[in-house]
């Protein structure tokens, strides 16, 4: 048992009089659900927690507060790159022994490494976005007599069958501001074909983007991206398409049978009359190789002050207890292996969590989100723009790889 179980039996008020400030980018429903977790922590410990919403650009919010030496106790960061950036500037406090014990008990070693810098643990992934799924319109599949495909060959075959039945198979969001979707497609294919170790090497730019393993992944992608007749609006339409409308066009306007989007696409489907679980369903991103891909994004909790309250809150957020409270609200997935699928309120999330837990040690964090932002996170440049160029000109895999490599080499200096 960890120390917190003994202290809670003593009436659980060991943090009475302590105020903890936590900063994160969540607003609206996401914020409300997180505040339920904070309330449970307050009840358990007697602490008072204040929530600060940072807005989308968390670095712009935290930077000035760090400079003024008035950071929040805890921040929840949307990219591991920020964890490393702040740790290198000594803006983060290493996690205490009891927090690392909680992480060791509840997470696979990979997730601990993800929150570590130079061998020291600074952060814990507390909320995950699951990115290894394809959403589909059940009516389109039923009308064409198509079953959800499990591997790449049956995926491309299903697309052709749908097309022959008069249904456009895919929406592809390749607009300049939304071509992060293309990086997610790539990551799923690459993880499946090359496996987790190669995925880690490419993530860190320890191998070049001109590597044959990258060629192989791009060749697979071109089987979908390169066929204008399989994409709603053709290539020209895809290059203008936004993520939000790729989802609503599929389920609100029946413009296609399938669309890529993480579990968070459920919010967009919710704005149409399509019902999740009946009209809109998901299948696992098809295996393009031997590994079943499980790619996650997500948010990492870090301590910016060495206060008793900061470590206690992070310890709580890393626990299955907090994950279970959070799960009940919906729109949430825990990366912890000890938050059980039955903690989640809906069948879809139970399905995704089972898929994630089955992937075990081969699950990986989104590659582009771990890269320097100039390469992996900026519209109109780097990986986003280079993969768009492949949609524009699917015959030029070699040229695209050369550009990816030169952009990566600049960013990873």
């Amino acid at each position: 048992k960890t120390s917190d179980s003994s202290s809670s039996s003593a009436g659980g008020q060991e943090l009475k009089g302590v105020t903890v400030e936590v900063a994160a980018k969540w607003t609206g429903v996401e914020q409300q659900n997180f505040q339920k977790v904070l309330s449970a922590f307050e009840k358990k410990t007697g602490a008072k927690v204040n929530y600060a919403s940072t807005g989308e650009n968390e670095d712009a919010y935290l930077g000035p507060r760090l400079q003024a030496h008035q950071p929040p106790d805890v921040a929840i960061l949307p990219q591991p790159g920020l964890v490393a950036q702040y740790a290198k500037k000594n803006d983060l406090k290493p996690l205490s022994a009891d927090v690392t014990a909680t992480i060791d008990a509840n997470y696979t070693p990979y997730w601990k490494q993800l929150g570590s810098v130079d061998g020291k643990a600074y952060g814990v992934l507390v909320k995950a976005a699951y990115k290894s799924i394809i959403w589909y319109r059940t009516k389109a599949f039923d009308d064409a007599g198509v079953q959800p495909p499990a591997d790449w060959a049956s995926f491309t075959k299903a697309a052709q069958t749908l097309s022959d039945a008069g249904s456009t198979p895919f929406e592809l969001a390749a607009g300049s501001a939304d071509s992060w979707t293309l990086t997610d497609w790539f990551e799923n294919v690459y993880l499946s074909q090359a496996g987790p170790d190669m995925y880690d090497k490419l993530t860190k730019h320890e191998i070049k983007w001109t590597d044959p393993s990258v060629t192989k992944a791009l060749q697979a992608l071109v089987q979908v991206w390169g066929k204008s007749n399989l994409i709603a609006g053709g290539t020209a339409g895809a290059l203008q398409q936004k993520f939000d409308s790729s989802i609503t066009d599929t389920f609100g306007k029946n413009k296609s049978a399938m669309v890529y989007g993480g579990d968070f696409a459920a919010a967009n489907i919710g704005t149409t009359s399509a019902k999740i679980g009946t009209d809109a369903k998901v299948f696992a991103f098809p295996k393009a190789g031997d590994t079943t891909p499980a790619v996650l994004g997500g948010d990492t909790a870090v301590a910016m002050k060495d206060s008793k309250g900061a470590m206690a809150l992070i310890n709580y957020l890393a626990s299955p207890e907090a994950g279970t409270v959070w799960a009940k609200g919906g729109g949430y997935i825990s990366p912890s292996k000890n938050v059980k699928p039955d903690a989640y309120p809906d069948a879809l999330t139970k399905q995704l969590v089972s898929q994630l837990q089955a992937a075990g040690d081969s699950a990986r964090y989104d590659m582009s989100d771990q890269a320097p932002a100039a390469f992996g996170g900026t519209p109109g440049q780097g990986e986003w723009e280079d993969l768009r160029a492949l949609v524009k000109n699917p015959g030029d895999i070699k040229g695209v790889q050369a550009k990816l490599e030169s952009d990566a080499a600049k960013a990873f200096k």
Side-chain angles (χ1 to χ4, degrees):
K1 287 275 190 184
T2 52
S3 57
D4 63 357
S5 58
S6 54
S7 54
S8 58
S9 61
Q13 297 296 300
E14 73 274 15
L15 294 178
K16 208 167 177 46
V18 174
T19 300
V20 187
E21 187 189 18
V22 57
K25 67 175 186 186
W26 301 313
T27 56
V29 177
E30 280 192 300
Q31 180 183 335
Q32 287 161 23
N33 287 341
F34 182 52
Q35 295 208 264
K36 286 179 192 151
V37 181
L38 299 179
S39 299
F41 172 74
E42 289 178 325
K43 251 196 211 89
K44 186 177 167 135
T45 62
K48 181 177 182 337
V49 184
N50 294 327
Y51 176 79
S53 182
T54 62
E56 274 303 308
N57 189 342
E58 218 157 311
D59 194 29
Y61 172 90
L62 292 168
R65 290 196 57 181
L66 285 162
Q67 275 171 329
H69 302 291
Q70 291 175 328
D73 295 273
V74 172
I76 298 183
L77 306 175
Q79 288 105 11
L82 276 179
V83 179
Q85 182 185 315
Y86 290 146
K88 290 196 165 90
K89 287 196 284 192
N90 292 323
D91 288 332
L92 302 184
K93 306 299 171 199
L95 299 177
S96 63
D98 51 344
V99 179
T100 52
T102 302
I103 295 170
D104 289 337
N106 294 294
Y107 290 80
T108 65
Y110 173 78
W111 298 116
K112 185 181 184 182
Q113 285 159 17
L114 190 79
S116 300
V117 181
D118 299 329
K120 272 197 193 119
Y122 287 98
V124 57
L125 192 69
V126 290
K127 181 179 196 284
Y130 193 67
K131 296 183 157 204
S132 293
I133 47 178
I134 302 278
W135 290 88
Y136 72 100
R137 219 159 34 83
T138 42
K139 188 175 186 314
F141 271 49
D142 293 346
D143 290 351
V146 169
Q147 291 299 313
D151 59 39
W152 198 258
S154 45
F155 182 52
T156 52
K157 189 176 172 215
Q160 196 52 58
T161 309
L162 285 156
S163 181
D164 294 344
S167 182
T168 306
F170 298 104
E171 276 287 348
L172 189 63
S176 186
D178 293 82
S179 41
W180 59 265
T181 62
L182 305 178
T183 70
D184 285 5
W185 276 87
F186 172 79
E187 287 152 9
N188 278 289
V189 170
Y190 191 81
L191 178 57
S192 187
Q193 287 180 339
D197 294 345
M198 286 287 277
Y199 183 98
D200 292 342
K201 287 189 172 120
L202 187 61
T203 300
K204 295 175 190 146
H205 200 222
E206 287 168 4
I207 53 174
K208 294 189 170 184
W209 283 81
T210 46
D211 193 82
S213 61
V214 177
T215 315
K216 191 178 170 188
L218 298 179
Q219 284 166 342
L221 288 166
V222 161
Q223 294 171 3
V224 174
W225 298 358
K227 300 208 165 95
S228 194
N229 62 316
L230 299 183
I231 296 168
T235 304
L239 291 166
Q240 301 300 314
Q241 182 62 292
K242 294 178 163 62
F243 173 71
D244 291 356
S245 43
S246 74
I247 307 292
T248 52
D249 283 357
T250 301
F251 295 104
K253 300 180 181 169
N254 300 342
K255 284 194 177 175
S256 77
M258 291 181 270
V259 61
Y260 170 76
D263 60 313
F264 44 83
N268 305 92
I269 298 171
T271 67
T272 72
S273 61
K275 293 277 171 284
I276 291 173
T278 47
D279 311 314
K281 290 187 180 176
V282 301
F283 57 86
F285 197 98
K287 277 175 76 163
D290 295 333
T291 303
T292 303
V295 177
L296 281 77
D299 305 280
T300 300
V302 294
M304 293 192 150
K305 283 186 185 163
D306 203 0
S307 61
K308 194 175 168 189
M311 288 304 160
L313 178 58
I314 292 180
N315 199 19
Y316 181 71
L317 293 176
S319 72
E321 189 183 326
T324 303
V325 174
W326 213 336
K328 285 195 178 89
Y332 167 82
I333 287 177
S334 171
S336 163
K337 58 181 187 230
N338 293 324
V339 178
K340 301 290 177 254
D342 61 11
Y344 296 88
D346 60 292
L348 170 74
T349 313
K350 286 184 170 83
Q351 177 190 341
L352 301 184
V353 170
S354 302
Q355 213 177 296
L356 165 62
Q357 293 186 348
D361 288 343
S362 63
R364 284 296 179 268
Y365 196 91
D366 184 296
M367 186 187 291
S368 60
D369 284 353
Q370 295 184 70
F375 181 66
T378 310
Q381 67 181 60
E383 193 185 352
W384 291 28
E385 198 54 32
D386 298 341
L387 292 176
R388 272 189 94 220
L390 188 65
V391 175
K392 264 183 220 165
N393 187 1
D396 189 26
I397 289 176
K398 235 187 169 55
V400 165
Q401 280 187 267
K403 184 79 171 71
L404 281 162
E405 178 51 34
S406 73
D407 288 344
K410 273 185 227 126
F412 275 88
K413 265 192 180 130

